[in-house]
Amino acid sequence: MKLLLVGGGGREHALAWRIRHELPDATLLAAPGNPGIAALATCLPVGAADVDALVLLANTEQVDAVIVGPEAPLAAGLADALIAHGIPVFGPTAAAAQLETSKAFAKALMHDAGVPTARASMHTTVRGARAAAREFGAPVVIKASGLAAGKGVVVALTLDEADAAIASMLEDDVFGDAGAEVLVEEFMTGEELSLFVLTDGTTVVPLPAAQDHKRVGEGDTGPNTGGMGAYCPADAGDASYTWCDGSLPAGIRHVLDTIVTPTLAAMRARGTPFRGLLYCGVMLTPTGPRVVEFNCRFGDPETQAVLTALADDAPLLRVMLQVARGERIDPVPLFAPARHVVATVLAAAGYPDRPRSGEAITLPTTGDGEWLFHAGTTRRDDTLVSSGGRVLAATASGATLTAAQQRSATLAAAVTFTGAFHRRDIGWRALARGA
Ligand code: AMP
């Protein structure tokens, strides 16, 4: 078995670890990978967004399948190109990836399919968008429709803030084409869950839910980031999402019935079946779970927590390879969480606005049930140095969430590089409830 993993972040390091764990004899290539992945795979200097070079690499190396981590190559048609060459690929076609790459597309599909989500309207003019914001009233949410590296969402607490966000997207083009169309969206309240679902287009296999921590500061304060940490399993304080007796929790079953199944049916009906991993960002509102966003790939940093929380013998790769080959998922496994895991992100000074790179990193040794997943690291001569805003994810398991949080925070504190900082409260909502 020869596999090519596309990407070079913490999510891909966690995927590489899981591939090695489940398929120890496989030959694993990574493009471009990172210094953490290099311990598990052969890293090749091909960019994750270079579709032509990736297809050439997959052909030359005669890989059995390609596993795509990030959204950009999927948006650029990597899966389509690989399928055209007869190479199995885990990741949707560009048309199916629109569930993430166009919020306008996703919203219209959810509306047509009766999938619960925030009410919204689409606008290309400032005047229309501002009028819509006034119809909803503050708070109101303004979203760039296209891919904006997780930065295209403004939760506006006042109409002035909404007006400014609308102007920045439609007049000042801060997100370029991604902000040429904006969604003005109803503000929802409730706790959020990230639910990953593997699907062959029809059959769905959920992974245990996780919760991300988007704000830079403890207690969920300060600016939004790509994610400062995550824990798994998460139930957002709703017992119907709690794994207790080895069967699928009723809350997750409800999300599958009301959100995932109708979305996949609508994608099939459009002739663009979604095969791969559907990331459902849901908010548990007073009227039930509603979609905040879809992503067309594994989330980061949730993946670091979810994949390590799975039982050692969970057949994740078997399912992913069936999906990649265009086969039915059979038999359908149940992925109950086997342990609690907390992933704490180590960020660089200045993150998220202007992260400082190039700091030499010293890593502690990891024990059983501890992982240091590399995200923004590189090698300069023989030294490991920081190369991004989110540098590492200090990930640790425990028999309880409290134990996992303590181990993860201790591991994070043992990593040193100038300016490093991390949140010590990943999982705080669950812990505050006495989970
Ligand atoms: P997104 O990139 O669409 O996931 O949005 C980023 C974050 O903005 C989400 O994780 C939510 O915390 C928040 N958000 C997005 N849409 C809404 C909404 N309609 N109501 C309240 N908060 C939202």
Side-chain angles (χ1 to χ4, degrees):
M1 174 76 69
K2 196 176 199 182
L3 299 173
L4 171 61
L5 175 64
V6 176
R11 161 186 51 213
E12 289 79 22
H13 190 180
L15 280 163
W17 168 80
R18 189 77 205 180
I19 292 167
R20 267 276 153 268
H21 170 78
E22 286 187 46
L23 304 170
D25 298 330
T27 300
L28 182 58
L29 309 176
N34 66 35
I37 295 172
L40 304 163
T42 304
C43 295
L44 300 161
V46 175
D50 191 341
V51 171
D52 292 342
L54 290 167
V55 173
L56 184 66
L57 179 64
N59 261 321
T60 315
E61 293 287 343
Q62 298 195 308
V63 299
D64 294 292
V66 178
I67 294 171
V68 186
E71 64 277 15
L74 296 167
L78 177 59
D80 307 70
L82 290 167
I83 292 165
H85 282 82
I87 301 168
V89 53
F90 184 85
T93 61
Q98 283 182 98
L99 279 176
E100 171 169 1
T101 60
S102 168
K103 289 186 193 288
F105 172 91
K107 203 48 106 171
L109 181 130
M110 285 189 269
H111 183 263
D112 293 350
V115 171
T117 184
R119 287 178 298 129
S121 53
M122 263 76 89
H123 302 275
T124 52
T125 67
V126 170
R127 214 169 128 222
R130 286 187 173 160
R134 277 151 186 81
E135 271 171 41
F136 284 117
V140 61
V141 184
I142 312 297
K143 298 186 174 183
S145 178
L147 285 181
K151 297 202 174 102
V153 175
V154 176
V155 178
L157 299 179
T158 64
L159 287 175
D160 281 349
E161 277 176 48
D163 288 350
I166 289 165
S168 75
M169 293 181 199
L170 287 177
E171 276 176 359
D172 305 338
D173 294 333
V174 288
F175 300 120
D177 285 350
E181 189 172 21
V182 302
L183 270 76
V184 178
E185 191 169 291
E186 169 197 6
F187 175 77
M188 302 188 288
T189 55
E191 213 169 296
E192 290 175 63
L193 281 180
S194 304
L195 184 66
F196 296 176
V197 178
L198 300 161
T199 178
D200 56 19
T202 307
T203 306
V204 295
V205 187
L207 299 176
Q211 192 170 58
D212 190 6
H213 295 57
K214 286 262 180 232
R215 303 299 194 95
V216 76
E218 288 178 5
D220 291 335
T221 52
N224 255 321
T225 70
M228 293 297 292
Y231 67 101
C232 176
D235 66 10
D238 181 332
S240 72
Y241 288 81
T242 310
W243 290 85
C244 41
D245 58 2
S247 59
L248 194 62
I252 295 182
R253 165 65 46 209
H254 181 71
V255 170
L256 298 186
D257 291 345
T258 59
I259 293 173
V260 180
T261 301
T263 298
L264 294 177
M267 293 300 282
R268 291 197 304 276
R270 285 168 195 236
T272 55
F274 185 98
R275 297 193 188 92
L277 185 130
L278 183 64
Y279 168 130
C280 307
V282 298
M283 195 175 277
L284 306 192
T285 74
T287 58
R290 297 164 81 188
V291 175
V292 177
E293 64 163 344
F294 287 127
N295 290 327
C296 64
R297 38 76 199 175
F298 283 94
D300 193 330
E302 294 99 320
T303 301
Q304 290 86 315
V306 173
L307 298 196
T308 49
L310 293 179
D312 293 342
D313 60 355
L316 181 77
L317 263 293
R318 189 197 81 211
V319 174
M320 288 175 64
L321 291 173
Q322 284 174 338
V323 170
R325 293 187 201 109
E327 298 167 1
R328 294 295 300 268
I329 298 172
D330 182 45
V332 178
L334 182 71
F335 288 116
R339 52 189 75 90
H340 293 268
V341 177
V342 170
T344 299
V345 167
L346 280 135
Y351 182 70
D353 294 334
R354 290 165 56 169
R356 201 167 70 210
S357 290
E359 301 293 354
I361 304 168
T362 313
L363 299 180
T365 51
T366 47
D368 229 18
E370 296 179 351
W371 302 263
L372 284 167
F373 292 120
H374 291 233
T377 72
T378 188
R379 284 217 179 272
R380 201 175 54 200
D381 304 324
D382 272 343
T383 309
L384 186 70
V385 297
S386 59
S387 62
R390 294 187 295 165
V391 179
L392 292 147
T395 306
S397 65
T400 61
L401 179 59
T402 308
Q405 190 204 56
Q406 282 168 358
R407 276 181 94 194
S408 170
T410 304
L411 185 61
V415 175
T416 53
F417 60 92
T418 303
F421 72 95
H422 65 274
R423 283 180 58 169
R424 287 159 300 171
D425 67 341
I426 305 305
W428 70 272
R429 288 176 194 276
L431 293 173
R433 280 189 290 267

